[in-house]
Amino acid sequence: VPPARRWVLERIKTGLIEKASAVVSLRPPAFDRSDPDPGWSGDDLKVDLSFRDGRVAPVGSVPDAYSLSGDLKVENEVMTVRAKDGLIYTGGGARVDVPDVMFQIHRLTERENKLGVVDVEMAGGAKEIGRIFDSAPFKVLQRTDIRPAALAGDGTARVRAEFPMRKKIDLSMVEWQAEAVSADFSLTEPVRGHKIENADIMLRADSSQVAITGKGKLDGLPADIDLLFPLGGSNVSARQGVVLEVTAAQLKEKDIDLTAFLEGPMTMTVDDSGGDKVFDVDLTKTTLRLEALGWSKGRGVPANATFRLVELEDERQIQDFHLVSDGVDVNGSMTVSNGGELLTASFARFQ
């Protein structure tokens, strides 16, 4: 059975055809598989078919979509199946709505070079959408060490896949993209050491990476979230950048005690993709005291600091410290006890 016809037979499983029409104009080569001439082109083959109560298997191990209504068309050498208002059951009676699903086979006249395209839109619970994202060929959550059961919230999602049409589709050859938007999203288990709560997020993924961006609580603190996870040995660099609007007291509650020299609110960008936490801090609203230098600044005086925080068993090392403020440029390092006491301070430059 030719691949395009095989897909229709295997993937469109049930449904009631309401009406159908076809216009066919074929030349003799169409009946000879050994002839490279397909025997037709353009609109020599036109099909227009509508159906309801359809059941379609989208791609790979993605669960079947039920209760679909739509049409199948062949025109200009492309077969298109488009349907709407369906459901995907994800187990235990849970379901995801499918507002729209589309499947196409391009280059119908070519014997060995047909291209399949699947595009599915979904809406429902984050946990249920996560189960679909974890189906082959996507397996997004498995690759980022997230369990679907750990997801909470509601959202919408879209997955798109392109693949060469073969008698047996090699899932490793599927090019895919997935994206999801979720409101009030939470992870009941940490991912890469971070816990996300009450967040409005967007997830974008393909075979090389997963990116999560949005606003919510990260590790209990209000944050702009920007996480990037490489997949499948890709050359994409991991990123775990987070922008926090916090106070020194809030940081202390999270076991990052910098109260020995900081007091008040600050805007903090944190990147811990390299293991250690790298901070870039806007200290304009913060009171800052560097007693080892006999220098301090009050709230409202512009200042910015960058440093690397190395957390050891009984102390924290603040390395590559660089502070720029009103007429001040400081480079150095400090060591702080786990209780917040300043132990050592060394500054190579203070001007």
Side-chain angles (χ1 to χ4, degrees):
V1 179
R5 196 182 312 160
R6 178 186 295 270
W7 188 93
V8 173
L9 294 174
E10 293 181 351
R11 293 280 168 172
I12 301 180
K13 296 184 176 181
T14 60
L16 177 64
I17 296 176
E18 296 185 309
K19 63 178 181 178
S21 65
V23 176
V24 182
S25 177
L26 302 177
R27 300 185 300 277
F31 303 96
D32 183 357
R33 293 283 298 168
S34 64
D35 194 326
D37 183 350
W40 69 281
S41 62
D43 283 337
D44 288 344
L45 176 61
K46 295 186 70 173
V47 176
D48 193 345
L49 178 155
S50 63
F51 63 89
R52 61 180 174 86
D53 298 325
R55 176 183 173 188
V56 176
V59 66
S61 64
V62 174
D64 294 356
Y66 291 80
S67 305
L68 290 164
S69 298
D71 53 58
L72 181 153
K73 295 181 182 292
V74 177
E75 53 188 359
N76 198 27
E77 304 177 14
V78 177
M79 186 192 82
T80 301
V81 179
R82 183 176 291 277
K84 61 182 181 178
D85 299 333
L87 304 168
I88 292 178
Y89 294 98
T90 60
R95 56 179 248 190
V96 169
D97 293 333
V98 181
D100 189 75
V101 59
M102 184 273 292
F103 177 81
Q104 289 183 320
I105 300 177
H106 295 256
R107 305 192 286 264
L108 282 177
T109 58
E110 299 186 20
R111 300 284 194 196
E112 304 294 337
N113 195 32
K114 294 179 176 66
L115 176 70
V117 179
V118 174
D119 197 322
V120 183
E121 295 181 6
M122 296 168 283
K127 185 182 301 183
E128 287 70 38
I129 291 174
R131 290 194 177 106
I132 296 170
F133 273 29
D134 232 16
S135 303
F138 315 114
K139 297 185 178 179
V140 173
L141 302 185
Q142 293 180 38
R143 295 170 177 177
T144 51
D145 300 323
I146 300 174
R147 296 190 312 116
L151 307 179
D154 295 302
T156 60
R158 180 181 180 183
V159 293
R160 179 182 174 87
E162 296 185 4
F163 46 90
M165 297 297 298
R166 300 284 188 268
K167 288 186 177 180
K168 185 175 182 180
I169 296 174
D170 183 353
L171 294 183
S172 67
M173 298 182 67
V174 176
E175 294 290 333
W176 59 270
Q177 301 85 40
E179 63 179 45
V181 177
S182 180
D184 200 23
F185 173 83
S186 295
L187 276 171
T188 59
E189 300 171 356
V191 54
R192 306 293 171 93
H194 294 296
K195 188 174 182 180
I196 299 174
E197 298 174 288
N198 309 123
D200 295 336
I201 67 158
M202 172 171 282
L203 179 148
R204 290 189 175 95
D206 57 33
S207 57
S208 66
Q209 64 182 30
V210 176
I212 301 174
T213 57
K215 290 179 177 289
K217 286 187 176 181
L218 188 77
D219 303 327
L221 299 174
D224 290 345
I225 300 165
D226 185 6
L227 308 177
L228 182 64
F229 309 121
L231 297 181
S234 70
N235 294 324
V236 174
S237 298
R239 181 178 69 245
Q240 297 190 47
V242 178
V243 179
L244 303 169
E245 297 285 345
V246 296
T247 66
Q250 286 176 315
L251 288 177
K252 183 176 181 179
E253 291 175 358
K254 298 301 176 182
D255 295 325
I256 303 175
D257 193 350
L258 304 176
T259 55
F261 51 93
L262 296 178
E263 180 183 341
M266 67 198 79
T267 302
M268 177 177 291
T269 301
V270 187
D271 188 341
D272 59 359
S273 56
D276 298 332
K277 292 183 174 70
V278 177
F279 292 78
D280 189 326
V281 191
D282 182 348
L283 297 167
T284 301
K285 299 178 182 179
T286 315
T287 298
L288 173 61
R289 297 179 298 273
L290 296 179
E291 296 181 358
L293 299 175
W295 179 85
S296 65
K297 81 157 199 76
R299 298 183 183 183
V301 178
N304 192 85
T306 59
F307 57 90
R308 180 183 304 275
L309 183 65
V310 179
E311 298 181 281
L312 303 178
E313 184 176 349
D314 55 357
E315 65 183 25
R316 290 177 169 83
Q317 296 179 356
I318 299 170
Q319 301 178 353
D320 304 323
F321 180 81
H322 183 206
L323 169 69
V324 178
S325 186
D326 187 19
V328 174
D329 193 331
V330 179
N331 279 341
S333 62
M334 291 173 277
T335 303
V336 180
S337 72
N338 287 339
E341 180 184 359
L342 181 63
L343 302 178
T344 66
S346 175
F347 297 99
R349 180 173 68 182
F350 176 54
Q351 62 183 36

